[in-house]
Amino acid sequence: MKTVIDSAVTETLLYHEQTKHHFHRYARSLGFLDWANQPNPFRSYEGVTPVRLPLLQKDSASEHLALYERNRNTFQGFTRETIAAFLELSLGLSAWKSIPGSTWSLRMNPSSGNLHPTEAHLILPALPGVTASVFHYNSFLHALEPRAEVSETLWQQIKEHLHTDGFLVALTSIFWREAWKYGERAFRYCQHDVGHALAALSFSANLLGWKVTWLNALSDEEIARLLGFDQTRWPEFELEHSELLCFVHRSEEQQIPRDLPAEIVSGFSGLEFQGTPNQLSKDHVDWEIIPRVAEATAKPKSTEGAFAASGRPGLPDTTRPFYAPTAQSGIPAAQLIRQRRSAVAFDGVSSITKNQFCTMLDKTLPRDDCAPFDLGLTVSCVHLLLFVHRVTGLEPGLYFLLRAEKDLPVLQQKCHRHFLWRPVDGALPLYLLQTGDYQSTATSVSCQQSIAGDGAFSLGMIARFREELETAPWRYRHLFWETGMIGQVLYLEAEAQGVRATGIGCFFDDPVHELMGLADDAFQSLYHFTVGGPREDARLATRAAYHHLDAPAR
Ligand SMILES: Cc1cc2nc3c(=O)[nH]c(=O)nc-3n(C[C@H](O)[C@H](O)[C@H](O)COP(=O)(O)O)c2cc1C
């Protein structure tokens, strides 16, 4: 077993090294966009009759903090309507944009290159208007595509095991969607996107009084069996890879088993799956390192406790009160979800206050009983290296938000000796490393993208790396999920503070490490992000999310 894991770790580290962008060389990709083969952003399962879902006619009035705090939301029963609302406000369409000659859709969840490699599948019990089945969620139609009926007995087994009502939701990735544009680095982007989608699901569930719990003990292969992937005829290069399975249940239920027994998993092997996945592109490029890293990071069966979010030292104070809770945004939670957009440019002048800055950062800290970090990913491994440009009340410079206290001594030892590590605000684990103007540095390490220097602040997400992977290479994917979840929080928090954010997957890896003085791979930068005053593109026309359906448009 050890040698199998060792070679998977080697393969994973090799992928990571090989897909770094360098000042003088980008990770391997085609280098141009093959428009004739641009993947269809919508997967559908042909040959089945979709169950159309209703669109929300009115959003809940829950306020900003209801995104996070569970006790602000009352439980709504599991029905076709509430499950529709859950999906609409997490993975549904949010708008259509166009410029002369081009039209594209946007979704509640962001995606690198707007390519949307993440798909969702649900396993639902029998509900009025719904037969208990495994479904694929089709966001274009806002519909559930039934793939296999689940018998009453099988669902009862699931319910008895999980001790409570609810349903299952799985996320999968189609690597080709991202590889079409990004080549070998695509696997990383897919994992970021899973993290964003996961946080989006957790927020949307919370507004209904529901909680999303990751069933962390399952293997990827078991999830594939539950979804009937072993019985599916995939178009070449376009198969969906299982990422994770979650149980969605009442928020008050705390003790959810994090596994499904083998009898239940094998019960799904006996189901008859229908529907043929649509072909997304005519031709493909075989980036063979991607299936290799997918295999190396495939999660085997584990015990539930192996990745529990407690019981390991160095946990932050998860019960800390929110930073400046009385100064939260007046924008309702559902509105924040709907209006979230990526900024394409910043004005280079807008600033935010220190209070706003800390309010945003504070939401990225995990707390007990608060979405989204209570879904049980693991203890935090990801910190924020902050390039502060325009935050009134803070000197411009390099700052650090420590999301896992245990890493402080080792970071201090591995980073430049001249870093100050001066605490900034007693209420947050925020440190000043060095004052100075980091606008051009931030732009330069983010692949020369001016959005990283023109905003109020930008950041690199610095993950505890080698130690996490050494015995469990599949943790590589989990680290990226954590970064995506942090990103989703920052997207919504930027909207709440009247500014805008953008995820940055294109950055120069090692120059960020050099900037910090990191000489080995104990820590690695896995994702960048930027926040600032947006400059709107006046050429863009907007249409309602579901204007193409016969449902009343919002
Ligand atoms: C993982 C990830 C990486 C991204 N990287 C970049 C980037 O490097 N540069 C950029 O301008 N936008 C980047 N974006 C923003 C996407 O282009 C944007 O999410 C997508 O176009 C959809 O638009 P929306 O976020 O407004 O829905 C990234 C988004 C994600 C989720």
Side-chain angles (χ1 to χ4, degrees), residues 530-546:
T530 185
V531 174
R535 215 175 52 215
E536 302 297 347
D537 185 344
R539 298 169 310 153
L540 286 181
T542 305
R543 290 199 74 181
Y546 284 103

Side-chain angles (χ1 to χ4, degrees), residues 106 110-112 114 192-193 340-342 449 502-503 505-506 527:
L106 296 174
S111 168
S112 20
N114 202 23
H192 287 132
D193 280 15
R340 184 212 61 78
R341 295 278 183 284
S342 292
Q449 300 186 78
T502 302
C506 187
Y527 191 20

Side-chain angles (χ1 to χ4, degrees), residues 154-391:
L154 186 53
W155 185 264
Q156 273 312 316
Q157 273 179 281
I158 297 173
K159 186 178 161 180
E160 272 164 33
H161 173 74
L162 295 170
H163 309 313
T164 184
D165 283 319
F167 61 93
L168 296 158
V169 58
L171 294 179
T172 67
S173 293
I174 305 174
F175 302 145
W176 165 246
R177 283 230 180 89
E178 292 286 322
W180 169 74
K181 180 170 182 184
Y182 297 112
E184 293 190 340
R185 200 168 159 102
F187 182 77
R188 299 178 177 214
Y189 290 111
C190 291
Q191 305 306 324
H192 287 132
D193 280 15
V194 169
H196 280 281
L198 199 48
L201 289 171
S202 178
F203 285 135
S204 163
N206 194 24
L207 297 181
L208 292 155
W210 305 348
K211 182 175 175 188
V212 174
T213 295
W214 176 36
L215 302 189
N216 66 356
L218 289 171
S219 69
D220 293 350
E221 200 187 327
E222 286 177 311
I223 300 170
R225 277 168 71 193
L226 292 168
L227 303 180
F229 285 0
D230 49 349
Q231 294 184 43
T232 303
R233 265 189 300 120
W234 298 104
E236 204 186 0
F237 296 110
E238 296 182 358
L239 80 137
E240 294 180 35
H241 289 259
S242 326
E243 298 287 1
L244 70 150
L245 183 79
C246 296
F247 184 51
V248 186
H249 54 90
R250 261 184 113 99
S251 285
E252 288 90 48
E253 300 285 350
Q254 295 292 338
Q255 298 302 323
I256 300 295
R258 312 269 312 264
D259 197 5
L260 289 178
E263 313 84 81
I264 291 181
V265 177
S266 59
F268 280 77
S269 297
L271 305 185
E272 213 171 292
F273 282 83
Q274 50 170 350
T276 311
N278 62 339
Q279 176 107 27
L280 306 174
S281 295
K282 206 153 46 67
D283 286 326
H284 307 82
V285 178
D286 183 3
W287 298 105
E288 47 92 30
I289 199 170
I290 293 184
R292 283 210 329 255
V293 69
E295 199 187 324
T297 58
K299 186 183 168 294
K301 181 104 190 146
S302 59
T303 57
E304 301 180 22
F307 307 107
S310 57
R312 281 170 60 175
L315 271 180
D317 174 7
T318 54
T319 53
R320 76 171 75 233
F322 281 115
Y323 191 92
T326 52
Q328 304 299 324
S329 165
I331 306 174
Q335 179 56 36
L336 291 171
I337 292 175
R338 287 188 189 280
Q339 75 177 52
R340 184 212 61 78
R341 295 278 183 284
S342 292
V344 284
F346 289 129
D347 59 16
V349 290
S350 295
S351 58
I352 55 169
T353 63
K354 178 186 164 205
N355 203 36
Q356 288 177 303
F357 177 68
C358 291
T359 301
M360 282 186 228
L361 293 185
D362 175 53
K363 304 296 195 315
T364 71
L365 299 174
R367 288 180 165 81
D368 284 342
D369 219 21
C370 272
F373 298 109
D374 65 352
L375 57 74
L377 203 51
T378 49
V379 287
S380 311
C381 295
V382 178
H383 307 279
L384 309 185
L385 174 72
L386 295 142
F387 303 93
V388 172
H389 310 313
R390 292 174 196 82
V391 178

